[in-house]
Amino acid sequence: MKMITTTLQQLLLWLNFTSLLIATLSSANSSDGQNLVGLSLVPASRAHPGAVCLDGSSPGYHLQKGQGAGQHSWLVHLEGGGWCSTVQECIYRARTARGSSSFMSPVAFAGHLSNSPLENPGFHNWNRVFIRYCDGASFSGNVNEPLIVSARGHSMRLFFRGQRVWEAVMEELLTRQGMLNATQAILSGDSAGGLAAFHHCNDFKKKLRGDTIVKCLLDGAMFLDMPSISGVSLIKDLYRKVTTLHNVTSLSHTCTSKQDRGECFFPQYNLDSITVPMFFLQSSYDSWQLRNVIAPAIVDPSHAWSLCTTDLSNCSKPQMGVLQEFRQALLRNFRPLLGHPMWGMHIVSCLHHTEELYSYLWNGFTRVNNMTALQAFSKWYFGGGVVQNIDCAYPCNYTCR
C-alpha cells in the first residue's frame, strides 16, 4: 500500500511538472523571443570613478521594468562564474563575457527572473535586474592602478575593480532607473555571484531608503573551507590568491581582525556579521564543490572520482562516506541559524550547483518537504516565518532529476 501511495505521489508531481514545462515552453516560443533582455552599459562618463571590467570596458546590466503592483519592487541578481586567481587566468577571462562587456549578449530571463506568472508567481512583475560579472573576484576587487601585461605579443591592461563595478551599477539603478523609490528589494546571486550577494547584502540595505523591505537570496553560495581528498584545502589557497591579486578590502572587519582575507572570503566565517534577512538555496551534494573542492582532477589523476561526482549512484561506499562528510560539514555551518526566521534555507540532496536561474529547478519537479525552491522562498519572504527545509541524505529524494 505504501509503495502504491508513493507511486501516486510521484505521478502527481510529474503531471504538475509536465504542465509547468508545457506552459514554460509555450511562453518561450511566444512573441517575446524567449524573454530576451538587452544589455545596458554604465558609461565611464557617469560611472563610479574607475569602474571597469577586467579589460577596461564598461560594466553592464540587463533590466526588465516592473509592471502594475510590482513597479516599485526590485529583484537584483549578481551573475556568477568562478574567479581568476592568477594573472594568466585573468588574461584569459578578459577575453570572454566574464571579463569584458565587449562579448556580452542579451540574456534570456528565466527562473526567478522570468516574467511568466505561472513560472515565477509573486515576482514576475517586479523590476528584475541581471548584473553582469566581469571582474573575477565576486564584485569585490579594488586595485587602483591597472596591471600592464604582455599577451600574444601585445601589451594589455588588466583592471581589478569589481567593488567599483558594484558601486557604479548600484548608483545607476538607484539614481537613473528608480530603485531609490523601491518599497521592497531582493539582492540575489548564484555561485560566485551568490558569494558577492552575501558580502554585499548589508551594503545593499544601506543604499536603499530606511523603510524599504530588503532581503537577500543566495544560490549555491555556501562554499566550504574543506580539505580535498588529498588532505589540503585547495579552495582556501584559491581564495587567498583571489583576495590578494584583486586587493579585496570590503570584507567584514569582524572577520579580518581575526583571520586572513582568504578565510574571510568564506561565508561560514562571516555569518555573525549579516544584519539583513537571508535565504540559502543549496545542494548538500554541491556538484561544483564535489568536483573542484573535494575531488578535483589535480588530486585525482586516475579519475577514480569522475564517475562518482557526475552521478552519485556510481559512488563506491568509501566515496559516498566522503560525500556524506561534506553534507554533515555543510549542515554544521547552518546549525547556528536553525529556528531563527531571519535565516531561510532550502537544502536539497540532489546533485547540482545552482537552482534559481533554471525554471525546472526553481519551480519544477524537485522538492523538499513537498515544496519547490520558489514555494519555499516565497513562503519565507512573504510569510515572515521560519522556513528551513533540510532534505534527507542521498538517495532518499525521488524528485531529484
Side-chain angles (χ1 to χ4, degrees):
M1 186 66 176
K2 184 177 180 180
M3 183 179 296
I4 294 174
T5 303
T6 301
T7 303
L8 287 173
Q9 289 174 338
Q10 291 175 331
L11 178 60
L12 288 172
L13 285 171
W14 177 250
L15 288 173
N16 290 337
F17 172 69
T18 303
S19 300
L20 175 65
L21 181 61
I22 291 172
T24 302
L25 290 174
S26 298
S27 174
N29 291 320
S30 65
S31 58
D32 65 6
Q34 296 184 339
N35 195 23
L36 285 176
V37 181
L39 177 69
S40 297
L41 296 177
V42 183
S45 59
R46 65 171 187 257
H48 194 83
V52 292
C53 298
L54 273 172
D55 71 333
S57 59
S58 297
Y61 64 95
H62 306 257
L63 166 64
Q64 191 161 57
K65 283 287 193 177
Q67 303 292 327
Q71 61 182 317
H72 295 301
S73 300
W74 287 76
L75 173 54
V76 179
H77 184 86
L78 300 177
E79 182 184 21
W83 310 271
C84 60
S85 62
T86 67
V87 171
Q88 194 59 43
E89 288 174 357
C90 292
I91 289 174
Y92 174 80
R93 191 181 184 95
R95 300 193 181 102
T96 73
R98 291 292 200 280
S100 171
S101 58
S102 300
F103 301 97
M104 295 177 185
S105 303
V107 169
F109 275 20
H112 83 313
L113 295 177
S114 171
N115 64 350
S116 166
L118 180 64
E119 183 181 339
N120 193 30
F123 307 101
H124 69 280
N125 61 348
W126 285 32
N127 296 280
R128 284 155 289 112
V129 187
F130 185 78
I131 301 179
R132 300 305 294 264
Y133 178 30
C134 67
D135 66 278
S138 290
F139 295 86
S140 297
N142 192 23
V143 177
N144 285 326
E145 298 299 323
L147 179 65
I148 301 176
V149 297
S150 178
R152 296 179 182 175
H154 301 281
S155 63
M156 66 177 294
R157 296 188 297 171
L158 287 177
F159 297 82
F160 304 104
R161 296 179 179 173
Q163 178 67 32
R164 302 186 198 188
V165 168
W166 158 258
E167 299 291 347
V169 180
M170 286 299 104
E171 286 180 18
E172 182 83 358
L173 296 177
L174 289 164
T175 61
R176 292 184 174 271
Q177 299 294 359
M179 193 170 72
L180 193 58
N181 298 318
T183 56
Q184 56 184 337
I186 296 169
L187 177 66
S188 71
D190 65 295
S191 192
L195 183 63
F198 179 90
H199 289 301
H200 288 304
C201 185
N202 289 347
D203 185 51
F204 184 67
K205 168 70 174 177
K206 292 176 183 177
K207 292 182 184 301
L208 293 157
R209 296 184 327 196
D211 60 347
T212 304
I213 298 170
V214 179
K215 298 184 181 183
C216 295
L217 169 62
L218 310 183
D219 185 10
M222 184 58 89
F223 297 97
L224 296 184
D225 180 8
M226 279 196 72
S228 70
I229 55 175
S230 70
V232 177
S233 180
L234 299 177
I235 190 170
K236 183 186 291 184
D237 181 58
L238 169 70
Y239 279 179
R240 283 172 173 162
K241 290 178 179 177
V242 169
T243 54
T244 299
L245 178 64
H246 293 258
N247 189 34
V248 175
T249 58
S250 58
L251 301 172
S252 166
H253 177 70
T254 304
C255 182
T256 55
S257 63
K258 299 176 293 184
Q259 296 167 264
D260 64 54
R261 288 187 295 181
E263 291 176 322
C264 291
F265 214 41
F266 289 99
Q268 68 194 78
Y269 300 125
N270 292 274
L271 292 171
D272 59 354
S273 70
I274 300 299
T275 59
V276 180
M278 186 171 283
F279 192 96
F280 291 90
L281 290 176
Q282 191 77 34
S283 169
S284 54
Y285 306 98
D286 185 307
S287 57
W288 189 91
Q289 294 193 66
L290 297 189
R291 296 166 193 164
N292 295 277
V293 177
I294 302 301
I298 192 171
V299 297
D300 181 34
S302 64
H303 305 292
W305 279 80
S306 59
L307 290 178
C308 170
T309 56
T310 302
D311 184 342
L312 298 183
S313 66
N314 293 325
C315 297
S316 66
K317 189 174 181 178
Q319 287 174 330
M320 185 51 66
V322 172
L323 302 195
Q324 299 298 20
E325 288 177 10
F326 175 85
R327 176 178 179 270
Q328 288 303 318
L330 178 75
L331 298 184
R332 280 196 298 273
N333 281 285
F334 282 126
R335 192 172 297 153
L337 315 181
L338 297 180
H340 299 279
M342 171 179 160
W343 303 96
M345 60 188 72
H346 188 74
I347 315 300
V348 68
S349 62
C350 308
L351 180 68
H352 60 238
H353 180 41
T354 60
E355 303 175 56
E356 59 189 346
L357 294 177
Y358 304 97
S359 301
Y360 70 98
L361 290 174
W362 174 243
N363 191 24
F365 188 75
T366 303
R367 284 164 165 72
V368 181
N369 293 343
N370 204 31
M371 282 190 274
T372 64
L374 166 66
Q375 290 168 342
F377 177 69
S378 298
K379 183 178 180 181
W380 174 81
Y381 182 85
F382 294 110
V386 177
V387 179
Q388 297 177 337
N389 296 330
I390 299 178
D391 208 353
C392 47
Y394 175 85
C396 71
N397 191 338
Y398 61 82
T399 71
C400 291
R401 292 291 184 271

